[in-house]
Amino acid sequence: MKGAWKMSKNVSIDWSKLGFSYTKTDLRYISMWKDGKWDAGKLVEDNMISISESSTALHYGQQCFEGLKAYRTPNGEIQLFRPDENAKRMQRSCRRVLMPEIPVDKFIDACMQVVKANEHFVPPYGSGATLYLRPYVIGVGHNIGVKPAPEYLFGVFCVPVGPYFKGGMAPVNFTIADMDRAAPHGTGAAKVGGNYAGSLLPHEEAVKRGFADCIYLDPATHTKIEEVGAANFFGITKDNKFVTPASPSILPSITKYSLMVLAEKYLGMTVEERDCLVEKLDEFVETGACGTAAVITPIGGIEVDGKLHVFHSETEVGPVTKKLYDTLVGIQFGEIEGPEGWIYKVK
Ligand SMILES: Cc1ncc(COP(=O)(O)O)c(C=O)c1O
């Protein structure tokens, strides 16, 4: 089996041209849950899955997913950034939609196996590109009523992806969505597909109007910022505080919680997780979106009631945002020593 993993080593990819799109890589991991337990799991070549037409994942949205990256360091090693946090978040998502949890060790092992089996797809250090890992759990098996599936599939595949910012980190503008991505006591904090299906239309409308994406407000009062597209929000106040919204319907971003630690421990800032009111946007001198894919996207301005509220600048990155970005990315790529336990070497 091991020999078979090494089949298409002659991949020739122009790393500098990679975007955030699908590429078939060599092997992916699949494990099945039946009769109350997960099987040992294996690597497979086929990138197509065959499931019952009546699978709950297809009809009732019983599924969840994760997203994390493998990074190539200056000395050519490969490392993952806080995969244990993705594993724990996936367990919470599974619990929310009544699916069996994946043990943390099994999740990390599956990610490691997939990275090792596709090592030649991990972009070189300095290209800014990374190997994106997509773990997912779906309800499968024959079923027709609205109830949990009889069987589940846990998969992990990977795709090399380019830097989010072509030609450097540049601010982008957002507008506020009229629609919600999640309900007040719904599934907003779980990484389940339904939240994303609901965001496709407001996203498309925002893009048609020339914005990068839309900002979602709290679904109960529509007065507080919750999410920036598929990323969390942060703002830097005039007195140098790192502020980020607190709400049960926000997806708890691993990048955001990491930035909170870095802001406090590495940049000496005060950190606050609390309401970020749309009517008080002028408390922030810099704002940004953060997430695995977005890394840190500086927000140039936010459109509120037809007017663009500009923060630091529509073209220049603010100094605190830049420092946060350099520190986070430095740790992810192994240039800066991160807090203990954040980095998992792929061996
Ligand atoms: C809705 C949403 N918010 C925030 C994030 C950022 O989370 P993380 O930093 O864990 O990637 C993501 C991406 O996973 C997301 O889909």
Side-chain angles (χ1 to χ4, degrees):
M1 182 65 194
K2 266 203 167 146
W5 298 0
K6 315 278 179 197
M7 69 203 91
S8 57
K9 285 253 167 173
N10 314 328
V11 275
S12 76
I13 292 177
D14 184 349
W15 307 108
S16 66
K17 294 220 166 68
L18 277 178
F20 203 83
S21 55
Y22 181 80
T23 306
K24 182 179 186 279
T25 49
D26 284 350
L27 287 156
R28 67 274 307 120
Y29 173 95
I30 298 278
S31 176
M32 296 300 300
W33 187 93
K34 268 184 208 162
D35 304 324
K37 56 179 191 310
W38 290 106
D39 68 16
K42 60 179 186 228
L43 292 169
V44 297
E45 279 176 41
D46 198 353
N47 66 337
M48 305 296 272
I49 49 177
S50 174
I51 57 172
S52 168
E53 61 188 354
S54 65
S55 294
T56 59
L58 300 178
H59 300 269
Y60 307 128
Q62 197 193 19
Q63 61 85 254
C64 68
F65 65 101
E66 272 302 325
L68 66 159
K69 287 172 171 173
Y71 304 82
R72 182 83 70 177
T73 68
N75 61 11
E77 290 178 343
I78 303 170
Q79 58 189 33
L80 302 180
F81 181 72
R82 310 192 76 182
D84 52 323
E85 292 299 325
N86 292 91
K88 286 186 251 169
R89 187 169 66 190
M90 187 170 236
Q91 291 186 329
R92 295 196 298 272
S93 298
C94 284
R95 285 201 291 275
R96 182 62 181 83
V97 293
L98 280 186
M99 301 196 292
E101 292 170 28
I102 314 297
V104 171
D105 289 351
K106 184 178 178 75
F107 178 100
I108 296 174
D109 174 58
C111 292
M112 294 282 183
Q113 284 194 45
V114 169
V115 176
K116 273 191 265 183
N118 297 287
E119 202 180 323
H120 43 295
F121 285 101
V122 183
Y125 172 76
S127 64
T130 52
L131 188 74
Y132 181 77
L133 293 164
R134 171 52 61 84
Y136 61 97
V137 180
I138 55 175
V140 297
H142 305 306
N143 171 72
I144 201 66
V146 182
K147 58 179 185 296
E151 293 167 17
Y152 295 88
L153 184 157
F154 166 48
V156 182
F157 65 88
C158 64
V159 286
V161 295
Y164 198 79
F165 305 107
K166 290 272 175 218
M169 196 180 38
V172 286
N173 294 337
F174 294 86
T175 186
I176 295 203
D178 299 330
M179 289 175 252
D180 297 324
R181 64 177 277 284
H185 300 281
T187 53
K191 203 162 167 65
V192 295
N195 298 339
Y196 297 82
S199 74
L200 295 176
L201 178 59
H203 169 80
E204 190 182 75
E205 287 181 354
V207 170
K208 269 193 199 147
R209 295 188 50 242
F211 295 96
D213 205 335
C214 51
I215 289 193
Y216 295 97
L217 302 183
D218 70 296
T221 71
H222 277 215
T223 57
K224 304 169 219 169
I225 293 183
E226 294 231 317
E227 298 260 21
V228 189
N232 276 186
F233 174 85
F234 69 86
I236 311 299
T237 60
K238 291 173 191 128
D239 56 353
N240 205 35
K241 283 185 188 145
F242 179 97
V243 181
T244 185
S247 158
S249 47
I250 293 176
L251 185 82
S253 155
I254 293 155
T255 315
K256 189 267 278 290
Y257 283 104
S258 304
L259 288 175
M260 287 168 73
V261 173
L262 301 180
E264 192 178 332
K265 302 259 184 309
Y266 287 58
L267 273 65
M269 300 170 74
T270 302
V271 170
E272 288 177 4
E273 212 180 0
R274 52 128 165 116
D275 290 347
C276 295
L277 291 163
V278 175
E279 65 175 25
K280 287 204 180 151
L281 282 184
D282 57 6
E283 69 170 318
F284 300 123
V285 289
E286 294 177 38
T287 57
C290 60
T292 299
V295 194
I296 290 180
T297 305
I299 300 178
I302 300 178
E303 187 198 39
V304 185
D305 297 332
K307 279 201 203 111
L308 192 70
H309 180 108
V310 176
F311 299 95
H312 178 72
S313 149
E314 273 188 84
T315 50
E316 304 286 316
V317 183
V320 182
T321 305
K322 176 83 173 71
K323 262 190 235 162
L324 286 166
Y325 179 88
D326 289 344
T327 312
L328 173 72
V329 171
I331 293 170
Q332 290 172 331
F333 281 101
E335 298 153 357
I336 299 174
E337 180 97 20
E340 210 187 320
W342 280 20
I343 294 299
Y344 284 61
K345 296 273 180 207
V346 180
K347 289 189 186 120

